[in-house]
Amino acid sequence: MLRRNIRLRREYLYQKNLEGKERLLYEKKRKIRQALEEGKPIPTELKKEEYTLRQEIDLEDDNTAVLKSTIDDEYANAAERDPKILLTTSRNPSAPLTQFVKELKFIFPNSQRMNRGGQVISEIIETCRAHDFTDVILVHEHRGVPDGLVISHLPYGPTAYFGLYNVVTRHDIKDKKSVGTMPEAYPHLIFNSFTTKIGERTANILKHLFPGPKLDTKRIITFATQSDYISFRHHIYEKRGGPKSIELKEIGPRFELRLYQIKLGTMDQDEAQNEWVLRPYINTSKRGRFLGILRI
């Protein structure tokens, strides 16, 4: 199994290197195409390759002119099957953390909860790869308060690290008694203000934890960003009176997430490259930090 994983990883890196060369060629053709459209001179560094590049541009159509990547997009084949998620915690979890993870199991369809015990991260990742899990979610705590959540996509990443704040479990939500049992239908997803490059990347990581819902599903999960924090809310809706009268009921849990790192690898790969890291201590205003983190 170890040799097989090493071989698959080498194949992945080789394909990724080939796509890097294709991306470089695409960028050269883009510069040629832009210069021709604007009537500007061809860039000096491309003079020797101009004839070859223009021939390739003439042979392109609408499909081949667009750069496509199936290696860097780790979720390219996600639509072929529903996600299968493993939920676990740090060692010796407290009662509040155990309760919170139990509620997360209902949040994420097709998820399984596992007691961490003495297992190390590398063993957990290997077991999940062997049993075709698509994601591993690890929840941390500090003095009995959940404070961290890690989402690692399998088999090759990415891994997103979130801080966890203001956790309110379903048990503590006042109106939850009127809802009854937790619905298990696949939810509709709402993503608000994930408009930047890193925001779209974060939304892509989160949305692939959920399978596609049916149209008549009355369960809604919302991720909304504000001031670098992602608010998670969980509702069901009911029609009251006329066709345009909708009543929302929060069924919990609720919490805030703050992204602070994305790595191009799985949780057990310490050598994996950082795709993005939060750097809050910069000489700029709060508004600038917000724009720099989720809205660039």
Side-chain angles (χ1 to χ4, degrees):
M1 182 62 69
L2 180 60
R3 290 182 178 179
R4 177 176 178 270
N5 289 336
I6 293 174
R7 176 177 57 82
L8 291 175
R9 181 68 183 173
R10 285 177 178 173
E11 290 179 1
Y12 172 79
L13 293 175
Y14 174 71
Q15 293 294 333
K16 189 173 181 180
N17 183 54
L18 291 181
E19 288 201 358
K21 295 179 180 178
E22 292 177 2
R23 190 174 293 106
L24 181 61
L25 178 61
Y26 170 81
E27 187 64 23
K28 289 180 179 179
K29 290 191 287 187
R30 186 192 65 79
K31 291 180 179 179
I32 293 285
R33 194 182 294 109
Q34 183 178 1
L36 294 174
E37 290 175 354
E38 297 177 357
K40 295 181 179 179
I42 302 298
T44 306
E45 67 272 14
L46 300 178
K47 288 285 187 181
K48 295 181 180 179
E49 303 176 77
E50 177 186 359
Y51 179 74
T52 304
L53 292 173
R54 292 185 66 167
Q55 279 187 322
E56 294 185 11
I57 292 173
D58 292 338
L59 295 174
E60 290 179 343
D61 56 21
D62 293 338
N63 292 325
T64 57
V66 179
L67 180 64
K68 297 180 179 179
S69 173
T70 57
I71 298 299
D72 285 336
D73 183 7
E74 302 90 345
Y75 299 94
N77 300 320
E80 296 178 2
R81 62 185 180 121
D82 289 343
K84 184 180 178 182
I85 302 169
L86 180 75
L87 282 167
T88 189
T89 65
S90 52
R91 291 191 177 94
N92 301 319
S94 63
L97 182 63
T98 302
Q99 178 62 33
F100 179 60
V101 173
K102 286 180 180 179
E103 296 187 4
L104 287 182
K105 184 181 183 299
F106 291 103
I107 294 296
F108 300 107
N110 304 327
S111 61
Q112 299 179 24
R113 185 171 61 90
M114 184 192 76
N115 293 327
R116 172 79 176 271
Q119 287 190 307
V120 296
I121 292 297
S122 58
E123 293 176 350
I124 295 174
I125 296 296
E126 284 300 320
T127 302
C128 290
R129 284 198 184 106
H131 291 84
D132 294 327
F133 281 84
T134 60
D135 297 271
V136 177
I137 297 179
L138 176 66
V139 188
H140 292 279
E141 67 177 340
H142 179 68
R143 294 185 178 180
V145 179
D147 71 338
L149 188 141
V150 184
I151 301 173
S152 186
H153 184 63
L154 301 178
Y156 303 122
T159 299
Y161 296 81
F162 296 92
L164 196 57
Y165 304 91
N166 304 325
V167 175
V168 179
T169 61
R170 186 170 182 264
H171 176 77
D172 296 325
I173 293 179
K174 296 179 180 180
D175 195 39
K176 61 100 180 176
K177 292 182 180 179
S178 62
V179 176
T181 59
M182 175 82 80
E184 297 187 24
Y186 296 167
H188 294 291
L189 302 179
I190 297 175
F191 288 91
N192 183 40
S193 298
F194 289 82
T195 56
T196 65
K197 185 175 181 182
I198 188 63
E200 291 174 355
R201 176 65 157 165
T202 306
N204 199 42
I205 292 171
L206 293 172
K207 75 180 182 181
H208 283 103
L209 298 173
F210 301 88
K214 295 182 178 179
L215 293 177
D216 59 349
T217 297
K218 297 183 179 180
R219 184 182 173 197
I220 301 171
I221 286 179
T222 304
F223 295 92
T225 65
Q226 185 177 8
S227 300
D228 297 349
Y229 290 88
I230 303 171
S231 297
F232 173 91
R233 297 295 184 268
H234 186 198
H235 295 85
I236 62 171
Y237 70 89
E238 295 179 355
K239 293 183 179 180
R240 299 285 186 180
K244 295 184 179 180
S245 178
I246 300 291
E247 180 180 352
L248 278 178
K249 290 184 178 180
E250 185 178 4
I251 57 177
R254 78 167 78 118
F255 50 85
E256 270 69 51
L257 298 169
R258 192 183 193 191
L259 178 69
Y260 64 86
Q261 187 178 16
I262 298 179
K263 290 175 62 175
L264 293 174
T266 52
M267 205 186 308
D268 60 327
Q269 295 173 342
D270 296 331
E271 73 283 359
Q273 179 183 356
N274 286 330
E275 179 180 351
W276 182 87
V277 179
L278 173 66
R279 303 189 187 281
Y281 301 106
I282 54 178
N283 187 20
T284 183
S285 65
K286 183 177 181 181
R287 174 70 176 172
R289 292 203 303 272
F290 173 49
L291 293 174
I293 293 172
L294 288 180
R295 287 187 172 274
I296 281 184

